[in-house]
Amino acid sequence: MTTILQISDTHFGTEQQPVLDALEDHVREHGADLLILSGDITQRARDKQFEAGLAYVQRLEKYGIPATLVIPGNHDIPLYNLFARFMTPYANYQRHFGSDLEPTYEDEHLLVIGLNTTHPKRRKDGAVTSEQIQRVVDRLNKTSKEKLRIVVAHQPFGAMVLSDLSNLQGGAGDALTAWADAGLDLVMGGHIHLPYVLPLSGQYPELSREIWIVQAGTTLSSRVRGSAPNSFNRLIVGNGETKCVEVERWDFIDKRFTVAERFNLTWKAEEQALETDRHEVLVPGGQQ
């Protein structure tokens, strides 16, 4: 088994110490093979906030996580400092998390492609460019179809509630159509602080194969949405002949993280169904 720990929207500057402690306890106990942080590391892209975010990620890595993949979110670009926003939008991010805004991770079981879907000219909206679409297609075509193949971007490619349709990536339909043809399995993200797991063929019936979306809530921030508590996702990837992924959502309840929901994802044509221990639609509160 390979384990992925997905955290998102940590919004350092609004983090809560009891939640930080609880996540650290979880990682100390359970570990992971790959840590993904899907954007909005900070609240206002300030140097001190990135410094705190990096220090915390490094603490988690010390509990035996061998690899980390981090991408920027819209909050990781300065908002009020207009000179920095348009002249050096990613300077603080890159000072702490490296120059590569679109990192990739690959091993014998996984391919994870990070995309930067932010832009200083957009306040919060995400978009996938034609160049990014083709770059992902090229990488997928070079990778064994036996591997679980994932794209991570900050803004979502699919919505669970109607109010989030305006938060979808620009170019999502074109991207997903091309990526499905090239064999993509999963897209992961954050941004809307609402966790969910859905098969995207329901929203994009033209897809040639199923692509699942795994969205994370806000893991550490006080900026929770509606009734959705702080949470993160843990993906357990089966390394057998048939692709299968168990997604666990862990919620912060009573000063600790506990499993709130499980989903079993498959890609065999006769088994393209979502299995869940419990299903609920969370009431949106509108934080991004």
Side-chain angles (χ1 to χ4, degrees):
M1 297 293 181
T2 301
T3 303
I4 302 171
L5 178 66
Q6 182 200 11
I7 64 176
S8 193
D9 297 82
T10 51
H11 288 281
F12 276 89
T14 67
E15 73 276 20
Q16 306 167 92
Q17 191 60 49
V19 190
L20 272 71
D21 294 342
L23 179 58
E24 195 168 345
D25 289 343
H26 172 90
V27 175
R28 183 187 298 111
E29 180 178 355
H30 297 281
D33 298 301
L34 173 65
L35 172 65
I36 292 175
L37 203 175
S38 48
D40 278 1
I41 303 162
T42 67
Q43 177 62 13
R44 285 290 170 248
R46 292 173 181 148
D47 191 71
K48 290 294 185 182
Q49 294 172 356
F50 279 115
E51 185 178 313
L54 177 60
Y56 187 73
V57 167
Q58 290 174 336
R59 284 208 306 276
L60 297 183
E61 290 173 333
K62 288 181 180 179
Y63 296 116
I65 299 178
T68 300
L69 185 145
V70 182
I71 59 167
N74 54 289
H75 276 262
D76 298 319
I77 299 174
L79 180 61
Y80 300 118
N81 184 337
L82 295 182
F83 178 84
R85 181 176 182 83
F86 291 103
M87 299 304 294
T88 57
Y90 300 103
N92 283 344
Y93 176 94
Q94 291 176 314
R95 186 176 301 116
H96 294 88
F97 286 92
S99 60
D100 190 357
L101 300 176
E102 298 190 318
T104 298
Y105 171 84
E106 187 169 12
D107 63 20
E108 59 182 318
H109 304 297
L110 295 173
L111 170 66
V112 185
I113 302 169
L115 286 186
N116 175 25
T117 53
T118 69
H119 194 282
K121 292 184 179 180
R122 295 191 296 269
R123 178 177 170 269
K124 64 182 181 68
D125 295 336
V128 185
T129 67
S130 57
E131 292 79 9
Q132 287 174 314
I133 293 172
Q134 188 59 51
R135 190 159 64 246
V136 171
V137 167
D138 292 343
R139 187 60 187 267
L140 292 172
N141 285 335
K142 294 176 182 177
T143 304
S144 168
K145 287 182 168 57
E146 302 303 312
K147 295 184 180 184
L148 182 72
R149 299 186 288 177
I150 301 171
V151 163
V152 181
H154 180 59
Q155 292 90 349
F157 285 89
M160 182 176 178
V161 294
L162 290 176
S163 61
D164 281 328
L165 289 176
S166 62
N167 290 312
L168 296 187
Q169 300 275 5
D174 290 342
L176 292 170
T177 298
W179 297 343
D181 292 344
L184 186 68
D185 298 306
L186 282 173
V187 289
M188 300 174 68
H191 184 57
I192 55 176
H193 298 195
L194 181 65
Y196 51 88
V197 177
L198 294 172
L200 284 174
S201 59
Q203 296 176 52
Y204 301 92
E206 68 275 14
L207 297 183
S208 60
R209 71 188 302 271
E210 191 62 85
I211 297 176
W212 294 89
I213 183 169
V214 176
Q215 283 290 122
T218 175
T219 302
L220 304 174
S221 173
S222 60
R223 302 178 74 247
V224 294
R225 173 174 174 170
S227 62
N230 294 107
S231 66
F232 63 82
N233 294 322
R234 176 176 283 273
L235 284 68
I236 300 106
V237 181
N239 297 333
E241 294 183 1
T242 302
K243 284 185 183 178
C244 60
V245 177
E246 181 178 55
V247 181
E248 298 176 340
R249 192 187 80 234
W250 291 65
D251 287 356
F252 182 72
I253 300 171
D254 295 331
K255 299 183 179 180
R256 61 192 296 265
F257 280 100
T258 58
V259 178
E261 200 163 13
R262 287 189 175 94
F263 308 84
N264 292 316
L265 280 51
T266 61
W267 283 267
K268 291 176 64 175
E270 66 272 21
E271 295 177 359
Q272 288 184 356
L274 178 63
E275 299 169 2
T276 176
D277 294 337
R278 185 168 61 85
H279 178 73
E280 61 180 87
V281 177
L282 301 174
V283 178
Q287 294 274 19
Q288 290 130 36

